[in-house]
Amino acid sequence: DSGVTQTPKHLITATGQRVTLRCSPRSGDLSVYWYQQSLDQGLQFLIQYYNGEERAKGNILERFSAQQFPDLHSELNLSSLELGDSALYFCASSVGGTSGVEQYFGPGTRLTVT
Amino acid sequence: TQLLEQSPQFLSIQEGENLTVYCNSSSVFSSLQWYRQEPGEGPVLLVTVVTGGEVKKLKRLTFQFGDARKDSSLHITAAQPGDTGLYLCAGAKSGNTPLVFGKGTRLSVIA
């Protein structure tokens, strides 16, 4: 158990819909990272927040957005969902704000868009 | 183009055999990490290497960072079924750039 929690574990929704994925980092960690994992692309970095502020942005679509709240939990919002958005979405956390530090991953949310 | 290339993509071996998997790049990384991921779970950090030529051992696993900090290898001695999983390498070009992951090596150890 990494100490990072993610909800829900599974999510099935239709194209065009909007969903919210939630992540709580390990106690004491200030950074939260979001990743998308698909079979063909592997693990792709989406976005990082550090202590409530956006720190780094990766291959995140405009239809996706994220935020980190004062209690440090984070939410990833995915809208106008397409079939290709079906993937595993992972949240990771670390103590510091530098991306190269060791990250601890949550169990993931499996999103299926039908 | 994948920044970190991992090979082989798939590996199936018998229990007790040794194996090496590779993580290669044309770019220099300030640090490199290895993770293991089991089906339905998130990646679990195994090791971080930061110095060129560094070798780290974790029980039967030996990790090496290339002298030029462009590549790394993971050697497993006397593999066991519990070693089965997806092995991912991830590199950071600097402290302020996101981790870049390879696509992984999927290892299956058969009893």
Side-chain angles (χ1 to χ4, degrees):
Chain A
D1 185 352
S2 67
V4 178
T5 61
Q6 288 188 250
T7 57
K9 181 76 171 171
H10 301 279
L11 197 50
I12 301 174
T13 189
T15 54
Q17 295 297 305
R18 172 190 168 96
V19 297
T20 297
L21 313 183
R22 183 187 169 103
C23 167
S24 292
R26 293 188 319 162
S27 177
D29 284 359
L30 297 180
S31 271
V32 168
Y33 311 79
W34 286 98
Y35 292 88
Q36 179 192 59
Q37 187 177 40
S38 61
L39 282 175
D40 57 341
Q41 291 295 320
L43 203 59
Q44 298 285 316
F45 169 73
L46 296 178
I47 196 163
Q48 176 200 358
Y49 278 82
Y50 175 74
N51 205 19
E53 299 289 325
E54 183 182 305
R55 177 61 67 99
K57 217 167 189 177
N59 300 321
I60 188 166
L61 299 172
E62 284 191 14
R63 299 183 284 110
F64 297 179
S65 64
Q67 55 183 327
Q68 186 179 29
F69 294 87
D71 67 352
L72 301 178
H73 91 271
S74 178
E75 292 181 356
L76 178 67
N77 300 296
L78 314 176
S79 61
S80 302
L81 285 167
E82 302 174 359
L83 295 177
D85 298 327
S86 295
L88 275 166
Y89 290 85
F90 288 102
C91 163
S93 72
S94 67
V95 172
T98 52
S99 304
V101 299
E102 298 167 355
Q103 299 181 18
Y104 296 86
F105 283 77
T109 293
R110 181 175 292 279
L111 173 67
T112 302
V113 182
T114 61
Chain B
T1 304
Q2 194 73 14
L3 203 57
L4 281 170
E5 298 285 345
Q6 289 191 246
S7 62
Q9 197 174 351
F10 300 96
L11 188 57
S12 181
I13 62 170
Q14 295 292 323
E15 182 177 2
E17 292 183 358
N18 302 332
L19 67 114
T20 302
V21 298
Y22 300 93
C23 175
N24 295 305
S25 177
S26 57
S27 300
V28 175
F29 290 94
S30 64
S31 67
L32 201 138
Q33 300 171 5
W34 283 92
Y35 293 80
R36 191 179 85 184
Q37 184 179 15
E38 297 190 26
E41 299 182 10
V44 175
L45 181 66
L46 297 174
V47 77
T48 300
V49 286
V50 296
T51 305
E54 182 176 3
V55 176
K56 279 193 174 179
K57 292 193 174 183
L58 185 66
K59 296 184 181 177
R60 295 176 293 99
L61 277 60
T62 302
F63 304 85
Q64 184 162 9
F65 201 12
D67 291 341
R69 289 185 289 129
K70 292 182 178 181
D71 52 80
S72 180
S73 64
L74 159 59
H75 181 79
I76 301 179
T77 304
Q80 298 176 1
D83 296 326
T84 293
L86 179 67
Y87 288 82
L88 296 162
C89 67
K93 285 195 165 184
S94 72
N96 291 321
T97 56
L99 275 180
V100 174
F101 281 80
K103 289 191 176 182
T105 291
R106 194 168 295 279
L107 172 66
S108 176
V109 182
I110 302 163

